[in-house]
Amino acid sequence: MSTHLSRPSYAAVLRVPYARRAFTAALAARLSYGTVAPALLLSVSRATGSWPVSGTVLSLFGATTVFLMPLRASLIDRHGPRRALLPMSALYGALLSVLAALTWRPGAPAALVAVSAALAGACAPPLGPAMRALWSELVADPGLLQRAYSLDGVAEELLYVSGPALVGVLAGVAPPAAGILLSAVLNVAGTWAFVAASPAVPGPRPVSGGRRRPAGVRGLPAPVAVAVALGVGLSLSCAELLVMAFATERSHDPALVPWALGALSAGSALGGLANGAVRWRTAARVRLCRFAAALGAVLALAGLAPDLWTLTAVMALAGAFIAPALTTAYLLADETAAPGSRARAGAWVNTGVNAGGSAGSLAAGLLIGRFPLSLCFTLAGAAALVTAAAGVVRPRAAGGLPRSSPRPGETVGEPPAP
């Protein structure tokens, strides 16, 4: 894989006009997605006295959040962030406030809580896709855009680590439902600040030579990016459960499991930063498949670890390919998105990751106890390997369309440098 190393310059990303304020506001709003899940789980279980009910409510919330995200993102592409994000955020905040009121004290009606959670998830603003679409508009240089996406991905991962910790601190001084209110405030305030800090986004960029970007398969932007993201999400969610099963089988202290999972996140953050500091010469599609294949290969071998500490090191190595794979999937989705559909393209990748995560948790639950853990790890890695292998097969371009429209400094139809 040929690369050209350039001096890391994440500071240059934040010096782009509008970038720092918009990115900071978007992170504040996206922190709400790191706090809302644990807050919902704790508050609903306390209010209903039932863990199965709280799990069902959380599943309904997650399902409507994830699977309706491309639809909500298409509204942003069609009407712009100002006209689409603000109503979504207002509805989302109002419904979370209703949930907080319902679960503030014990005795909440389970059916009403479930309906409110599903409706709230259906209105959740797709801030990640919106921010990545804005990066694409603000940053013209492909290398700097890659750094912007890497910075965005690493920051988002850290939010999902810090969010539960913030809810845990709040739960020590207030009812668990206060975490739901905090999530509402963060989302509404952050979304309004993001919209206020963002420039008026121009219309779709014209493509030179009158050529258009391919729209994808039956309206699905970047099917390879979505498929590989699905495989990565499936592998990762399997691996997380398998690490816990590994510790139990080898009689390790369960308190050590978070260290192994933390190593996965730490490796991902470091890998994401390193990926953004490299000016790659290989095409995004090729890089995506290689990153996913490397992740799958490491996970497939993880079951051979003799103890939990070795497994922790292997998880850190596997994590080094997570953020690069997902960042590249978002970049590929942006490259191949039709004009005016960047937010929707990124939302499909996000949906792929989360759908894979849900399927992986189910698959791991069925595999553990029925097969040796070493085989389970192999099967978990195989999910990423299979989707990576499928992505290598390039479909024949219809009508001689190029793989994407050019960015400044790129030539239409020019093959990627080796």
Side-chain angles (χ1 to χ4, degrees):
M1 188 182 301
S2 175
T3 64
H4 171 67
L5 292 176
S6 60
R7 183 175 300 175
S9 184
Y10 286 102
V13 172
L14 298 178
R15 286 196 296 267
V16 172
Y18 301 102
R20 183 176 301 176
R21 287 185 300 164
F23 184 46
T24 302
L27 288 181
R30 290 154 76 181
L31 176 59
S32 68
Y33 297 133
T35 59
V36 69
L40 265 178
L41 191 64
L42 292 173
S43 60
V44 174
S45 63
R46 177 177 180 267
T48 63
S50 170
W51 284 106
V53 170
S54 60
T56 301
V57 168
L58 193 60
S59 297
L60 287 171
F61 175 81
T64 55
T65 299
V66 171
F67 293 108
L68 293 179
M69 184 180 290
L71 175 61
R72 297 193 300 272
S74 68
L75 295 176
I76 297 174
D77 287 326
R78 183 178 302 174
H79 302 292
R82 282 175 170 79
R83 295 176 62 189
L85 279 178
L86 294 181
M88 284 185 211
S89 180
L91 282 171
Y92 180 69
L95 288 163
L96 285 186
S97 299
V98 169
L99 268 173
L102 287 172
T103 59
W104 198 267
R105 292 182 177 86
L112 187 56
V113 170
V115 170
S116 300
L119 290 175
C123 299
L127 292 158
M131 185 65 231
R132 283 182 284 269
L134 181 61
W135 280 127
S136 186
E137 295 291 344
L138 295 178
V139 180
D141 176 73
L144 197 60
L145 179 63
Q146 177 182 303
R147 287 197 187 92
Y149 271 41
S150 295
L151 179 64
D152 189 280
V154 170
E156 186 172 57
E157 182 149 352
L158 293 177
L159 293 181
Y160 281 96
V161 173
S162 58
L166 183 58
V167 170
V169 171
L170 184 61
V173 297
I180 302 178
L181 274 183
L182 173 65
S183 303
V185 171
L186 284 170
N187 193 280
V188 173
T191 300
W192 281 75
F194 170 71
V195 170
S198 303
V201 177
R205 296 176 181 173
V207 179
S208 61
R211 300 187 180 185
R212 298 181 301 165
R213 294 183 183 210
V217 177
R218 294 186 180 180
L220 177 65
V224 170
V226 176
V228 175
L230 180 74
V232 168
L234 199 155
S235 291
L236 289 178
S237 61
C238 280
E240 289 172 355
L241 290 178
L242 289 173
V243 167
M244 290 187 276
F246 183 97
T248 301
E249 184 180 86
R250 305 296 175 91
S251 300
H252 290 288
D253 185 351
L256 298 176
V257 172
W259 288 97
L261 299 180
L264 192 70
S265 297
S268 178
L270 293 175
L273 292 173
N275 174 64
V278 176
R279 190 176 289 271
W280 299 97
R281 291 184 177 273
T282 47
R285 181 190 182 105
V286 175
R287 299 200 311 273
L288 172 61
C289 295
R290 291 179 180 176
F291 286 139
L295 170 65
V298 174
L299 289 180
L301 297 174
L304 301 178
D307 52 56
L308 187 60
W309 294 114
T310 305
L311 183 63
T312 299
V314 175
M315 287 295 106
L317 177 60
F321 299 105
I322 297 172
L326 296 180
T327 297
T328 308
Y330 286 120
L331 280 170
L332 180 60
D334 178 77
E335 285 182 7
T336 55
S341 65
R342 286 195 174 102
R344 184 168 63 96
W348 272 112
V349 174
N350 196 306
T351 298
V353 176
N354 287 284
S358 299
S361 298
L362 176 62
L366 295 174
L367 292 173
I368 294 172
R370 290 180 170 85
F371 300 98
L373 278 182
S374 58
L375 177 58
C376 292
F377 272 104
T378 300
L379 293 174
L385 283 167
V386 168
T387 54
V392 172
V393 181
R394 181 184 294 273
R396 182 178 298 175
L401 290 175
R403 63 178 177 87
S404 66
S405 66
R407 289 190 170 275
E410 294 182 332
T411 303
V412 176
E414 180 181 354

